[in-house]
Amino acid sequence: MEFLLSLILVGAVIGLFVVPTVRRRKAAKSALQGMAHANDPAHHGFVPAEQLDVRLPGPDPELVDALTETQRTQDWRPVARLLALTDGPEEWELRWQRVQSLAGAAAMELREARAAGAPAATDAEQHISLTKGDAPAGDGRWLRAWRAEQPQDAGGAQVYAQFLVWQALGEPDSADHRIILEEARNVAHEAAALADPDPTPHITELFVARALGYRRADFESLWHQVVRRAPAHMGAHLAALPYWSAKWHGSREEAYSFAQSAAATAPPGSLL
């Protein structure tokens, strides 16, 4: 009788405690597996992160081909030709995306070269080497050559101005941060003079304006130069929006007002 009672007691303990614990562990393991499955980009049809081309904001096979050739040979001509063909009001958005990507690629090359053990230099010294073209290959030499050999090329000036912006914003605590931003502004002004209808250099200056804290009147004057050339330019609006945010020089209300006004006045079907 005692043996039977013992079996009943053991069975009760197992039923009340062990089985629920095992079930909870299985459920937790299943939930974790489900979360991993749900968080897998491939499960939703997305490209895995390691396969993404972080140089570009979206698919652009022509730019990929030109940039790959330029980075392989360090010859600026493939990207210069492509940018020269990306011109006119219908392509201002694409031109801006390509200028950003080319500048970002050059900045990434330089950053990787420095991380790989290239001699350390200040940002000002880097700028001097960009002008002289005396740095090792694989660190954006093609951009230095482009500027040195074709100083009147609007495309080269635009890419170089944006390159300087990425350099400065990538190292906000650098002692040369402001110097590089001011140089970016100077080059952007040169680029604007070389191709007056193009809004691209003015969009680059929007980044400078935010970082250097332009007065509102000056920022609005610059913004007028942009919208006079491309009133529905999505990239320009994205570059201008942070200036009006509470984090920078405006407020939450001003940022919302800017965004809502842009959307309300945008042409139907535009990115805005």
Side-chain angles (χ1 to χ4, degrees), residues 14-29:
I14 292 175
L16 289 173
F17 300 103
V18 177
V19 172
T21 300
V22 172
R23 285 177 177 171
R24 284 196 298 269
R25 288 178 179 175
K26 287 184 177 180
K29 183 177 180 180

Side-chain angles (χ1 to χ4, degrees), residues 20 33 55 96 105 110 112 131 142 157 202 208 233 244 248 261 264:
Q33 290 174 340
R55 301 173 301 176
W96 165 240
L110 183 57
E112 289 176 350
T131 305
W142 54 270
H202 301 285
V208 178
H233 197 296
W244 297 110
W248 290 95
S261 175

Side-chain angles (χ1 to χ4, degrees), residues 108-249:
M108 189 179 297
E109 278 189 42
L110 183 57
R111 188 160 50 247
E112 289 176 350
R114 294 168 71 178
T122 66
D123 288 340
E125 291 168 340
Q126 290 287 357
H127 171 61
I128 293 172
S129 72
L130 280 168
T131 305
K132 295 169 63 178
D134 56 358
D139 63 355
R141 170 175 293 192
W142 54 270
L143 179 54
R144 294 190 293 277
W146 190 357
R147 280 291 287 161
E149 296 173 27
Q150 294 291 329
Q152 299 303 308
D153 184 347
Q158 290 173 4
V159 174
Y160 185 50
Q162 191 63 37
F163 165 83
L164 291 172
V165 166
W166 293 153
Q167 283 291 100
L169 297 185
E171 298 182 0
D173 297 325
S174 167
D176 300 316
H177 176 72
R178 187 177 185 89
I179 295 174
I180 302 299
L181 283 172
E182 291 174 346
E183 178 63 12
R185 177 173 57 194
N186 293 338
V187 178
H189 289 176
E190 291 179 26
L194 291 170
D196 182 74
D198 190 346
T200 302
H202 301 285
I203 301 173
T204 291
E205 191 177 351
L206 292 173
F207 290 88
V208 178
R210 184 181 73 204
L212 293 183
Y214 278 25
R215 297 181 308 160
R216 293 195 173 196
D218 294 333
F219 187 86
E220 289 172 349
S221 176
L222 172 61
W223 180 241
H224 175 71
Q225 295 299 320
V226 175
V227 296
R228 182 169 67 83
R229 293 167 172 80
H233 197 296
M234 181 66 174
H237 283 78
L238 291 176
L241 178 60
Y243 178 91
W244 297 110
S245 71
K247 179 180 178 180
W248 290 95
H249 310 292

